[in-house]
């Protein structure tokens, strides 16, 4: 079936009839993208016809309203378009359904989809690269080309210039409906995926003047001048194909504005204009490399000093020794310290390094237990659980990553309890460092 939205992609309001209405739920991704999906309650509504495009052909569905209630999803089911309407009240079957389209979303999708057809045809004509699939994203889109060759910036510019020249010509875009009995007319028509298995009724063909016809179910502009312009952003190499990312129409000035805003922020941070950005960043990288090298040397010196401090402690030495740093020192500090400790009699070393805690966010870091194998086996798993980490150990060494360095004192309390004789409170451990 060809829906009203496919007959007239520019129709923004439409009145039809409710055919069915069934209670339903819909899960949508959270706005932040990193939490649980949001579950909406509403109804799956089928109308006699619709101006709201159901998802398909690489194009997302339209949004809008039915009788003033928001439509959150539209999917095709054979001859029907099923609208999920967020409402607590069912619609009466046979009643009027006033549909209003989210026009800005529709226009954006038409521009990206028609632009994709244009770009696809030009890559085929110019380089013989066939488009095997495409994706219309919320910010950028891409086509997948069946080539293993690297597509250079120069090649992208060739296609981009050709596309924009054609757009300026204002070539018309039309839709033809081919009856099932006349499918022989589709010979030579582009159809990368073939006809859908559940297709019923006439086949829809998009015709752009001067280009090969395309079978397509999506919504399109009626003149290429409505695309405004095309910008090919970059190519992305896959194992057996190349994705070419692009934006069309209203997205071009939007992404230009975003790039310019970032450029202003970078200019402020680097204290130099765009022509100097590469040079200034390279200078920063060189300085960072030199600073890291000096830091590694200081780190080694500090660890050796800590080892010497331990050896200078008055005898007898404590049964365990704990050393903790919260200034972001790397795990190499622990390794260097252990390599330079030569004292005897200490049964267990409890060492951690971590980033400092920020507000309610505890510091993350690294933990090492080294010493008597039985003690390491006993306390290692306990400490890694208390410090909210993951680790493992063998042969008198247990180490792992930790996510809550603020609980170090809890671990030390367990050691004090274990090593302190009854009625004795003068067992010493080394004072915590860097906390």
């Amino acid at each position: 079936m060809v829906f009203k939205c496919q007959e007239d992609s520019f129709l923004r309001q439409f009145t039809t009839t409710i055919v069915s209405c069934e209670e339903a739920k819909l899960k949508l991704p959270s706005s932040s993208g990193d939490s649980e999906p949001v579950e909406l309650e509403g109804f799956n509504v089928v109308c006699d016809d619709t101006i709201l495009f159901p998802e398909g052909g690489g194009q997302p569905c339209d949004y809008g309203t039915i009788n003033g209630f928001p439509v959150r999803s539209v999917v095709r089911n054979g001859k029907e378009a099923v609208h999920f309407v967020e409402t607590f009240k069912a619609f009466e079957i046979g009643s009027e359904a006033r549909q209003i389209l989210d026009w800005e979303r529709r226009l954006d999708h038409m521009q990206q989809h028609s632009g994709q057809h244009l770009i696809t045809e030009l890559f085929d004509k110019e380089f013989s690269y066939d488009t095997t699939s495409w994706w219309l994203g919320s910010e950028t889109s891409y086509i997948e080309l069946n080539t293993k060759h690297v597509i250079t910036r120069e090649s992208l510019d060739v296609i981009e210039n050709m596309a924009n020249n054609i757009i300026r010509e204002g070539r018309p875009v039309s839709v033809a409906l081919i009856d099932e009995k006349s499918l022989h007319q589709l010979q030579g028509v582009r159809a990368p995926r073939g006809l859908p298995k559940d297709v019923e009724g006439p086949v829809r063909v998009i015709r752009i003047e001067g280009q090969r016809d395309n079978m397509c179910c999506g919504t399109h502009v009626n003149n290429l001048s409505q695309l405004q312009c095309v910008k090919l952003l970059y190519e992305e190499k896959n194992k057996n194909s190349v994705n070419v990312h692009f934006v069309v129409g209203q997205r071009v000035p939007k992404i230009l504005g975003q790039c310019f805003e970032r450029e202003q922020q970078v200019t402020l941070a680097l204290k130099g204009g765009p022509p100097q950005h590469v040079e200034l960043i390279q200078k920063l990288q060189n300085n960072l490399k030199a600073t890291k090298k000096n830091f590694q040397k200081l780190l080694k010196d500090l660890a050796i000093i800590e080892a010497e401090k331990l050896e200078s402690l008055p005898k007898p030495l404590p049964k365990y020794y704990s050393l903790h740093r919260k200034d972001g020192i790397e795990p190499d500090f622990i390794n260097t310290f252990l390599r330079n400790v030569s004292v005897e009699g200490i049964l267990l070393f409890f060492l951690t390094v971590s980033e400092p805690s920020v507000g309610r966010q505890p510091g993350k870091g690294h933990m090492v237990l080294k010493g008597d194998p039985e003690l390491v086996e006993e306390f290692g798993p306990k400490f890694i659980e208390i410090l909210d980490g993951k680790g493992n150990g063998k042969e008198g060494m247990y180490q792992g990553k930790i996510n809550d360095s603020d609980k170090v004192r809890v671990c030390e309390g367990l050691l004090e309890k274990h090593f302190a004789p009854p009625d004795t409170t003068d067992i010493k451990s080394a004072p915590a460092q860097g906390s």
Side-chain angles (χ1 to χ4, degrees), residues 170-356:
R171 296 186 186 182
V173 180
S174 60
V175 177
L177 299 179
I178 309 299
D179 190 83
E180 292 175 293
K181 298 178 181 179
S182 305
L183 290 182
H184 62 278
Q185 297 182 29
L186 295 179
Q187 293 180 359
V189 173
R190 180 187 295 278
R193 305 177 193 86
L195 289 170
K197 295 180 180 179
D198 60 349
V199 68
E200 298 182 34
V203 176
R204 192 165 176 265
V205 175
I206 306 301
R207 288 176 171 165
I208 299 177
E209 184 182 278
Q211 295 194 55
R212 193 174 3 158
D213 292 348
N214 284 263
M215 281 193 293
C216 183
C217 66
T219 56
H220 292 274
V221 299
N222 54 34
N223 190 289
L224 289 185
S225 64
Q226 294 161 344
L227 299 186
Q228 298 173 282
C229 63
V230 166
K231 179 62 184 176
L232 303 188
L233 301 173
Y234 62 95
E235 60 87 24
E236 180 182 39
K237 190 77 173 67
N238 298 318
K239 184 176 180 180
N240 295 309
S241 62
V242 174
N243 293 341
V244 174
H245 293 253
F246 66 91
V247 287
V248 184
Q250 300 175 109
R251 294 192 182 189
V252 177
K254 178 182 177 181
I255 201 169
L256 176 62
Q258 292 171 344
C259 291
F260 185 74
E261 183 177 353
R262 283 194 296 269
E263 188 176 86
Q264 286 182 309
Q265 293 172 348
V266 173
T267 296
L268 184 62
L270 296 178
K271 298 180 181 179
Q276 300 173 285
H277 283 177
V278 174
E279 178 184 350
L280 290 171
I281 290 174
Q282 289 175 341
K283 184 178 180 180
L284 283 175
Q285 290 174 330
N286 291 335
N287 290 340
L288 179 61
K289 186 177 179 180
T291 301
K292 186 174 182 180
K293 185 176 180 180
N294 291 332
F295 175 74
Q296 293 293 338
K297 185 179 183 304
L298 291 172
L299 178 65
K300 181 178 179 179
D301 293 342
L302 178 61
I304 292 173
I305 291 172
E306 289 290 353
E308 292 173 347
K309 283 172 59 179
L310 172 58
E311 293 179 340
S312 65
L313 287 177
K315 305 301 186 288
L317 293 174
K319 296 297 183 181
Y320 74 92
Y321 186 85
S322 58
L323 177 62
H324 314 291
R325 309 242 10 145
K326 283 191 175 183
D327 41 15
I329 290 181
E330 300 178 7
D332 282 346
F333 172 83
I334 294 178
N335 299 329
T336 304
F337 174 82
L338 291 174
R339 284 196 302 269
N340 287 273
V341 168
S342 59
V343 297
E344 296 181 358
I346 295 180
L347 298 178
L348 190 66
F349 287 94
F350 175 35
L351 312 169
T352 66
V353 290
S354 67
E355 298 291 337

Side-chain angles (χ1 to χ4, degrees), residues 51-173:
I51 59 168
L52 302 180
F53 177 76
E55 180 179 354
Q59 180 176 326
C61 70
D62 283 331
Y63 291 156
T65 61
I66 295 180
N67 293 341
F69 295 97
V71 175
R72 304 298 189 187
S73 171
V74 190
V75 295
R76 186 169 67 87
N77 183 17
K79 293 183 178 181
E80 298 177 339
V82 182
H83 310 72
F84 179 85
V85 184
E86 187 180 8
T87 175
F88 294 105
K89 183 178 180 181
F91 296 129
E92 183 179 345
I93 296 175
S95 64
E96 181 181 278
R98 180 170 176 77
Q99 301 171 351
I100 297 179
L101 175 70
D102 181 342
W103 171 246
E104 291 301 317
R105 179 178 172 90
R106 162 67 64 78
L107 176 60
D108 175 59
H109 289 177
M110 288 197 301
Q111 288 180 325
Q112 309 316 308
H113 203 159
S114 297
Q116 176 264 315
H117 279 242
L118 176 60
I119 296 167
T120 286
E121 181 69 9
L122 291 175
F123 269 110
D124 191 356
K125 283 183 177 180
E126 193 69 17
F127 301 115
S128 297
Y129 295 158
D130 191 27
T131 297
T132 52
S133 66
W134 86 293
W135 179 77
L136 198 166
S138 59
E139 299 294 330
T140 66
S141 304
Y142 68 78
I143 57 173
E144 182 185 65
L145 300 175
N146 67 338
T147 178
K148 296 181 180 180
H149 297 148
V150 174
I151 300 178
T152 63
R153 182 67 249 178
E154 290 74 14
S155 296
L156 294 180
D157 289 341
V158 167
I159 300 300
E160 181 182 300
N161 290 332
M162 292 175 67
N164 285 315
N165 286 336
I166 293 174
I167 288 172
R168 283 189 287 271
E169 293 175 9
R171 296 186 186 182
V173 180

Side-chain angles (χ1 to χ4, degrees), residues 314-320 416-417 419-430:
K315 305 301 186 288
L317 293 174
K319 296 297 183 181
Y320 74 92
E416 291 175 3
K417 183 177 180 181
F419 285 106
D423 302 321
T424 301
T425 59
D426 61 350
I427 296 297
K428 299 179 180 178
S429 68

